[in-house]
Amino acid sequence: MSARPAVRIVVVDDQEVVRAGFAALLDTQPDFTVVGTAADGGEAVLRCREQHPDVVLMDVRMPTMDGIEATRRIRAGADADAAPRILMLTTFDLDEHVYDALVAGAGGFLIKDVTAERLFDAVRVVAAGEALLAPSVTRRLIGEFTRLRPRPPAPELAELTPRETDVLRLVAEGLSNAEIAARLVVGEETVKTHVSRVLRRLGLRDRVQAVVVAYESGLVVPRSDVR
């Protein structure tokens, strides 16, 4: 059996020491290869066009073009499966800029003081096509900022079947397909089919945007006891 190709990564941060540090750390893993770095969002867009990475480690706050606009441009018009997966980097765990980045199409976020093992795990999760939603801080962030900036319910939610609504609610709670299957006592392939239908009916690119819609619409209410 042939080995899987290494995950191709671009690291984006306006601080050279941070950029070089993350790149060197990621390059220690045999299943990763850093194919480029960038000092701002504009460079990030160019590197992605040149190198076609699988994952982009993207700083949120940068001069010239920030990580939000870069994420929007990288993900815009691209097939959800073909576009690079974006992992946002931030200094603060409750940062409204990260919420905006998730809306723009980022697959999750990490705090810059993340441990090496957590960083490696996050890259592998996102590269595999899963959204990085499990950490409670991600759900807390989405919940907090949708509470502060509520939007009217999405009319498309009415088009979902009861089972699709259940699946969307569980996705928004951070459950994986396997966990949803166990909760609903159905097969994992059935869950994948339901998730695909939910994304198609709501016109969404990925699970992260589904989570945002679920919170914004009030389908899922932020829990005050999440830490």
Side-chain angles (χ1 to χ4, degrees):
M1 181 182 295
S2 60
R4 292 183 179 179
V7 176
R8 296 168 57 82
I9 305 168
V10 165
V11 179
V12 185
D13 197 289
D14 62 324
Q15 297 182 44
E16 183 176 0
V17 65
V18 174
R19 190 167 66 246
F22 274 115
L25 191 59
L26 291 165
D27 263 337
T28 65
Q29 299 301 292
D31 56 334
F32 295 162
T33 179
V34 176
V35 296
T37 63
D40 61 44
E43 285 188 22
V45 174
L46 291 175
R47 292 292 175 276
C48 288
R49 289 174 181 168
E50 295 167 352
Q51 300 295 336
H52 306 288
D54 302 303
V55 175
V56 180
L57 202 61
M58 178 85 75
D59 189 16
V60 171
R61 300 166 185 257
M62 295 179 290
T64 310
M65 182 189 296
D66 63 21
I68 300 166
E69 180 59 25
T71 295
R72 189 176 293 115
R73 294 191 186 192
I74 290 169
R75 298 287 296 178
D79 179 80
D81 293 327
R85 309 284 176 173
I86 313 291
L87 260 178
M88 305 305 301
L89 288 170
T90 181
T91 307
F92 311 104
D93 69 348
L94 213 59
D95 185 337
E96 66 176 317
H97 294 288
V98 179
Y99 171 77
D100 291 333
L102 294 173
V103 174
F109 83 97
L110 294 170
I111 310 302
K112 283 190 178 182
D113 63 359
V114 63
T115 64
E117 287 306 315
R118 179 66 183 141
L119 172 65
F120 301 152
D121 288 344
V123 170
R124 292 182 181 112
V125 166
V126 172
E130 292 289 334
L132 191 67
L133 299 173
S136 61
V137 66
T138 300
R139 298 196 300 275
R140 180 162 61 94
L141 180 143
I142 296 173
E144 177 68 9
F145 286 105
T146 51
R147 181 183 67 80
L148 294 175
R149 298 189 290 181
R151 299 185 185 180
E156 295 85 358
L157 288 179
E159 299 179 11
L160 300 181
T161 66
R163 179 46 59 95
E164 288 167 353
T165 301
D166 289 340
V167 169
L168 174 58
R169 186 178 290 111
L170 294 174
V171 166
E173 291 177 9
L175 274 64
S176 67
N177 286 348
E179 291 168 332
I180 295 171
R183 181 78 64 88
L184 299 179
V185 196
V186 298
E188 193 169 342
E189 286 300 318
T190 299
V191 173
K192 289 181 180 179
T193 299
H194 284 312
V195 171
S196 295
R197 287 176 179 169
V198 168
L199 296 180
R200 186 169 61 253
R201 289 181 192 273
L202 298 181
L204 305 174
R205 283 192 299 265
D206 53 35
R207 294 169 77 103
V208 172
Q209 291 197 328
V211 172
V212 173
V213 166
Y215 275 96
E216 287 181 338
S217 67
L219 180 65
V220 176
V221 178
R223 296 204 319 255
S224 60
D225 60 333
V226 174
R227 292 289 182 268

